[in-house]
Amino acid sequence: MRKNKKEIWTNLYIWCTLSAVSGIFICLSILILFSVFLYNTTDMIKSFTVFSSISLSAGAFSGGYICGLFRRKNGLYEGFFCGFIIYIMLLVTGSIYLHSFEEVMSIRKFLICVIPAAAGGVVGVNHKRPKGIRS
């Protein structure tokens, strides 16, 4: 007899937070790879902002993708919510590190977090679910 137990991805807030944390880890790993690449190839610090934007958008996309892949509904909204959680995490850690709230806030960072995460949520909803996962 099958028991009706709730899975972890059925709760929106817990799953969006977990997928946002995984997106942050992916963003940090890509950022470390880009840092090693820039350290070994060039001395120009101007190109670091481009690479950090690329890593942030890739992390946000992957977080939204993970959220959409397992939740299987409302990919745009839940990807947007996941990107918003990533932006809040960046805002809090940046304000703790810099001791200033105004220097960390940026519309550009917000858009870099939210738009790829929403796109990742849409792609994740429309992608096949892994075989070991039951709905």
Side-chain angles (χ1 to χ4, degrees), residues 18-32 59 62:
L18 288 176
S19 59
V21 169
S22 67
I24 289 288
F25 282 132
I26 291 171
C27 174
L28 287 176
S29 64
I30 292 172
L31 191 62
I32 288 171
S62 63

Side-chain angles (χ1 to χ4, degrees), residues 75-95:
L76 187 67
Y77 166 71
E78 292 175 4
F80 180 85
F81 186 64
C82 182
F84 183 72
I85 291 173
I86 290 173
Y87 177 72
I88 294 298
M89 287 180 187
L90 288 176
L91 193 69
V92 168
T93 56
S95 63

Side-chain angles (χ1 to χ4, degrees), residues 18-106:
L18 288 176
S19 59
V21 169
S22 67
I24 289 288
F25 282 132
I26 291 171
C27 174
L28 287 176
S29 64
I30 292 172
L31 191 62
I32 288 171
L33 289 175
F34 282 154
S35 297
V36 169
F37 173 73
L38 285 176
Y39 179 75
N40 291 328
T41 59
T42 184
D43 291 333
M44 292 184 354
I45 198 71
K46 292 179 183 177
S47 59
F48 189 72
T49 58
V50 173
F51 286 119
S52 65
S53 298
I54 290 170
S55 68
L56 181 59
S57 65
F61 182 85
S62 63
Y65 178 78
I66 292 169
C67 186
L69 184 67
F70 287 99
R71 291 277 300 167
R72 305 299 293 174
K73 58 183 174 182
N74 300 330
L76 187 67
Y77 166 71
E78 292 175 4
F80 180 85
F81 186 64
C82 182
F84 183 72
I85 291 173
I86 290 173
Y87 177 72
I88 294 298
M89 287 180 187
L90 288 176
L91 193 69
V92 168
T93 56
S95 63
I96 289 171
Y97 179 71
L98 295 175
H99 303 293
S100 175
F101 192 70
E102 292 85 22
E103 294 178 13
V104 182
M105 281 184 51
S106 170

